Amino acid sequence: MSARLLRVFCLLSCILSAVAALAQEGHPAKGTWVGYWGPTATENRLVIVMDYDNKNVTGTVNPGANAIPIKTARLDITPGKPAPKPGDPVGEPTFKVHIEADAKDAKGNPITIVADGTMQEVGLPIRSIAGTWTQTSGGKTVKGEFKIRRQ
Amino acid sequence: MSRTVPGWLAGGVGLLLAVAPVLAHHNITGKFDPSKTRTLRGVVTKLDWANPHVHILMDVVNGKIVTNWAVELESTLDLERSGWNLNTLKPGDEITVQGMTARNGTSQIWGDSVALTGTGRRVLNVSEAARAALLPATNLPSRPTPRWPDGKPRLGPPPGEKGYWGRPSSTVLMETGANVQMNAHGLLRNIADVDKVAPFQRWARDLYEYRQRSFLKDDPLFVYCKPPGALRLFQMTYGVQFLEDKNFGRIFLVEGGGNHIWHFIYTDGRPQTGEVRGNADNPLYYGNARGKWEGDTFVVDSKMFNEKFWFSNGGLPHTEQLHLIERFTRTDSNTLKYEVTINDPGAYTRQWSAGWTLQWVPEDLPAYYCQDNRP
């Protein structure tokens, strides 16, 4: 692919991602999420696009060239406990996100990715997910934090 | 008047009085805690007369500390209907306020009662007449359904008259036949009833429960002044007006609240296609809607909704796959029967239905505007 075509492709990918991010109130995981993962805060750029196909959360990590399809993704919502009566304090809800993906590094070696995070500010269109990102390649595991924000 | 009206009227009024101690046009317990009530005495520094809620700012002295509190009240519309205006209070007036304080601990209070400290006279309260303006009336003279020369029922006013549809018999959404109690804003009285409301998919059920447990605090209608999209248009207290444009084969629906946003239904037989995500002129909070008459019932097929809004009071989730079949039947001059079939395979496990009635209000559509970025 020529550099010009690649630029056009990247531009189109960005536009499509932005359009997908316009939705705000459907499935909470749906949208384009941007952030970083790594032992240091800004080590590895992340763009994760997630959707919901009426049964499962689907999506892609870093769409475009060398995109990584998401193998498994889940959103587990705990609405909060205990059941409140008027005046009771609201139980803390949790929105847990689990993502698994298989990829290959530049040499073609397999990489396994597992991310477990918690969705925060779920009522906002620009909600975020933060947690632990674990990447295993060639028997070596690298663990770090990740934080992505919905665009 | 329809034979069924007294039943739903009694039930609706009873339920409203039982569970909604305040009139607020949305659920205020997301912001204010009914268990934390307080009485404040202080001096008015400003009366902010604006929608969606009027605010009084007042200085309250506690020892050497002066705190400026914000007292939140009903909308300008409800207060003006009650005889109040922006001159009702002026800076320097001494007042006593009773109400519930903000959940987040800030100096904000819902003004259940505002009284001039010197005389004890209550001000800025909502009158019985203003309350009645939002509830179904019982004394409207009943007439046959008004019709066009072609025999079709008129959904708007007859020539020379005015009016709109409001005072819904129900302002909440649940599957027909569900035995669930909610307040007027769709807040469940018993959180254990979540599964009875609708055939939710798991994620939608859990999100609905989360919204309920959060007292609907994230409702984009009130947080961001988003339109009451889809069927929520017919649950709103300030009503909706039908403007039938026979020449161009379309019907405009104008909402009394929510900035007089309009929704149009094409009746000219055009295909149900268009920009999937809408555009600036039609952002599809009401979908691509096509209508046709089946006897005396106007049937509207709507799809291609966006996901930027809650499609009902109470926070039931939806996706872009939402598909509504709405049936409007004007059973007499005062009654509009509304029935809706909801199909959203992204959020629900099967198709389901609901329905209520709206009442004719022979007045101009209220002028209520939600002003962005205001509490």
Side-chain angles (χ1 to χ4, degrees):
Chain A
M1 188 183 292
S2 71
R4 182 185 169 86
L5 272 176
L6 186 61
R7 280 198 295 274
V8 171
F9 177 76
C10 289
L11 178 65
L12 284 174
S13 296
C14 291
I15 291 170
L16 288 174
S17 299
V19 169
L22 290 175
Q24 295 174 358
E25 297 289 340
H27 192 286
K30 185 177 172 181
T32 300
W33 305 74
V34 174
Y36 296 90
W37 80 271
T40 58
T42 58
E43 193 167 333
N44 299 292
R45 183 80 168 154
L46 275 178
V47 177
I48 301 181
V49 180
M50 287 191 278
D51 202 348
Y52 180 71
D53 69 0
N54 299 350
K55 286 187 177 176
N56 301 301
V57 177
T58 60
T60 306
V61 178
N62 294 338
N66 303 315
I68 304 167
I70 289 175
K71 187 171 71 176
T72 303
R74 272 199 323 270
L75 172 67
D76 298 319
I77 304 173
T78 305
K81 293 178 179 178
K85 298 189 293 292
D88 281 353
V90 181
E92 282 300 317
T94 55
F95 285 62
K96 296 284 187 190
V97 178
H98 177 81
I99 298 171
E100 293 179 22
D102 294 331
K104 288 187 177 175
D105 65 16
K107 295 177 182 172
N109 299 315
I111 300 173
T112 303
I113 297 168
V114 177
D116 284 292
T118 302
M119 194 179 289
Q120 296 160 340
E121 300 166 309
V122 293
L124 298 177
I126 49 168
R127 45 192 170 262
S128 61
I129 303 172
T132 305
W133 187 275
T134 307
Q135 203 158 298
T136 305
S137 177
K140 184 183 172 188
T141 297
V142 179
K143 209 169 211 177
E145 294 178 353
F146 81 97
K147 182 159 187 176
I148 51 179
R149 184 170 286 280
R150 193 165 179 270
Q151 302 301 294
Chain B
M1 184 176 288
S2 159
R3 286 180 188 174
T4 61
V5 170
W8 61 251
L9 174 65
V13 172
L15 184 62
L16 189 67
L17 293 178
V19 299
V22 290
L23 180 68
H25 61 279
H26 69 88
N27 187 55
I28 57 170
T29 56
K31 182 174 180 181
F32 298 98
D33 187 344
S35 70
K36 294 179 182 170
T37 56
R38 190 164 171 179
T39 300
L40 299 173
R41 289 185 181 82
V43 176
V44 174
T45 59
K46 184 179 180 180
L47 179 59
D48 184 21
W49 195 263
N51 284 321
H53 290 279
V54 170
H55 285 80
I56 306 167
L57 301 182
M58 65 185 292
D59 279 344
V60 177
V61 179
N62 185 5
K64 292 182 179 177
I65 299 172
V66 179
T67 304
N68 194 243
W69 279 78
V71 183
E72 192 164 328
L73 301 165
E74 300 290 358
S75 72
T76 59
L77 180 64
D78 295 321
L79 293 177
E80 284 166 359
R81 279 174 168 170
S82 304
W84 310 111
N85 59 47
L86 56 81
N87 297 314
T88 298
L89 283 181
K90 58 183 184 303
D93 285 343
E94 294 183 26
I95 57 172
T96 301
V97 175
Q98 290 180 315
M100 47 190 165
T101 53
R103 291 184 184 277
N104 64 8
T106 55
S107 300
Q108 299 183 77
I109 187 169
W110 178 261
D112 282 330
S113 163
V114 179
L116 293 167
T117 303
T119 63
R121 182 187 175 225
R122 281 192 69 180
V123 294
L124 298 172
N125 58 326
V126 178
S127 68
E128 289 306 314
R131 289 179 191 279
L134 302 177
L135 297 174
T138 56
N139 56 355
L140 288 179
S142 182
R143 294 181 296 174
T145 302
R147 294 179 183 272
W148 290 92
D150 66 5
K152 297 295 183 201
R154 286 180 182 271
L155 297 174
E161 297 184 24
K162 60 187 176 183
Y164 65 92
W165 295 103
R167 301 169 180 169
S169 62
S170 171
T171 55
V172 302
L173 181 63
M174 68 183 82
E175 185 168 22
T176 298
N179 182 19
V180 176
Q181 284 193 310
M182 301 177 182
N183 76 5
H185 310 297
L187 202 59
L188 290 166
R189 298 192 78 179
N190 182 355
I191 197 74
D193 285 341
V194 164
D195 294 307
K196 298 178 186 174
V197 173
F200 295 111
Q201 284 198 23
R202 182 70 202 195
W203 73 269
R205 177 237 181 262
D206 289 346
L207 184 61
Y208 174 68
E209 184 177 343
Y210 162 75
R211 289 174 175 174
Q212 287 282 320
R213 287 180 183 276
S214 306
F215 303 103
L216 313 176
K217 70 178 176 62
D218 297 327
D219 187 349
L221 178 65
F222 305 114
V223 178
Y224 305 112
C225 287
K226 292 287 185 189
L231 59 84
R232 197 173 187 182
L233 180 65
F234 305 104
Q235 298 179 317
M236 303 306 289
T237 50
Y238 299 143
V240 59
Q241 190 168 44
F242 282 71
L243 304 171
E244 295 169 276
D245 181 1
K246 289 267 190 183
N247 291 333
F248 287 91
R250 59 192 176 185
I251 296 178
F252 291 83
L253 277 70
V254 184
E255 211 251 324
N259 303 352
H260 279 200
I261 283 162
W262 43 267
H263 159 35
F264 53 89
I265 301 164
Y266 286 107
T267 56
D268 58 3
R270 69 180 63 197
Q272 197 172 16
T273 57
E275 294 180 57
V276 173
R277 294 177 191 279
N279 54 41
D281 294 329
N282 179 19
L284 300 180
Y285 287 92
Y286 299 100
N288 253 325
R290 302 291 179 267
K292 63 179 180 181
W293 286 94
E294 291 181 1
D296 279 355
T297 298
F298 185 56
V299 182
V300 180
D301 183 312
S302 303
K303 49 191 175 185
M304 301 179 192
F305 294 90
N306 70 44
E307 295 179 350
K308 299 178 186 177
F309 62 97
W310 289 6
F311 86 112
S312 168
N313 289 337
L316 284 84
H318 76 280
T319 72
E320 288 177 340
Q321 298 173 69
L322 179 64
H323 182 189
L324 300 182
I325 304 291
E326 296 166 293
R327 300 174 67 84
F328 300 87
T329 310
R330 190 170 189 171
T331 54
D332 62 22
S333 63
N334 296 328
T335 309
L336 186 67
K337 185 178 175 188
Y338 176 75
E339 300 163 290
V340 60
T341 300
I342 298 157
N343 189 12
D344 183 350
Y348 301 92
T349 57
R350 58 175 167 76
Q351 181 176 290
W352 55 290
S353 301
W356 53 89
T357 58
L358 292 101
Q359 191 175 66
W360 185 249
V361 184
E363 299 169 7
D364 288 322
L365 198 65
Y368 168 88
Y369 293 90
C370 180
Q371 290 166 284
D372 257 332
N373 299 317
R374 288 180 52 85

